Amino acid sequence: MQCGGTVDLSSLFTESAGTLTYYDDALATSVVGSTVNSTGTYYAKTVDGTCASAIESILVSINPLPDAVLTGTLITACAGDDFSLSVDLTSGNASVSGTDWEFIYSIDGIPESTIATGGNNPFVLINPSDGGYTLISVADGNGCSNSSPTGGSITTSNHPTLTATSELRCNDDSPIGVSLT
């Protein structure tokens, strides 16, 4: 099993003499190059002059690199607003549900701890801290990881505050300052 990329069939088959040719069908009629980029059964045979070897097969497994996208339901939040950020795991173009996966994100450039999702997809962060969120890496249950996820960035704004200063007077007419935040 390999995560993303290609597999060189010449590293999986060896010949004692002759010319080694690779195929994607068991009858050895559909020739493929020595480098493949998809999961499947591949075949090879050697021809030396008029003699040919038996057709041999090998199963190649190439898992797509996991990817994740960060989305938000409300980017500018006010005090008391409920909002969430979702991290959606994708594998190629398909969402993967029920698969254990994990990710790391940063807030304002500072990495947070690894989040294990327990198979929840999307994984939702409820009322996260203020700051700029960026996905750093994602790993799936196949053991594949991606340190350059599509990710995206979302900035949650600081909750606005109001400061009011008022002057209250006591019975003796001395002022008392009050500040509300």
Side-chain angles (χ1 to χ4, degrees):
M1 191 239 4
Q2 178 174 314
C3 298
T6 61
V7 171
D8 182 3
L9 294 176
S10 67
S11 68
L12 304 175
F13 292 102
T14 57
E15 79 281 353
S16 61
T19 304
L20 184 60
T21 306
Y22 309 100
Y23 306 90
D24 63 4
D25 68 314
L27 298 176
T29 60
S30 179
V31 176
V32 295
S34 64
T35 303
V36 295
N37 62 3
S38 61
T39 295
T41 301
Y42 293 91
Y43 305 85
K45 77 175 179 181
T46 300
V47 176
D48 188 13
T50 59
C51 296
S53 69
I55 298 169
E56 298 292 331
S57 67
I58 192 160
L59 176 62
V60 172
S61 295
I62 303 174
N63 288 323
L65 288 179
D67 201 3
V69 178
L70 179 65
T71 58
T73 57
L74 181 61
I75 297 172
T76 302
C78 297
D81 285 349
D82 285 334
F83 70 106
S84 62
L85 297 177
S86 293
V87 181
D88 296 295
L89 175 70
T90 60
S91 181
N93 292 326
S95 286
V96 179
S97 185
T99 301
D100 288 335
W101 59 287
E102 58 189 33
F103 64 94
I104 300 173
Y105 65 95
S106 66
I107 302 175
D108 295 331
I110 300 169
E112 297 291 311
S113 299
T114 300
I115 303 287
T117 66
N120 294 318
N121 190 34
F123 187 84
V124 180
L125 300 164
I126 304 292
N127 295 329
S129 303
D130 292 332
Y133 285 73
T134 304
L135 284 176
I136 297 174
S137 68
V138 60
D140 66 16
N142 294 322
C144 295
S145 63
N146 183 354
S147 60
S148 299
T150 302
S153 294
I154 291 182
T155 300
T156 59
S157 69
N158 291 329
H159 299 258
T161 60
L162 169 66
T163 301
T165 303
S166 177
E167 191 174 283
L168 296 176
R169 299 207 175 253
C170 291
N171 288 340
D172 65 358
D173 210 25
S174 60
I176 298 174
V178 175
S179 179
L180 303 173
T181 302

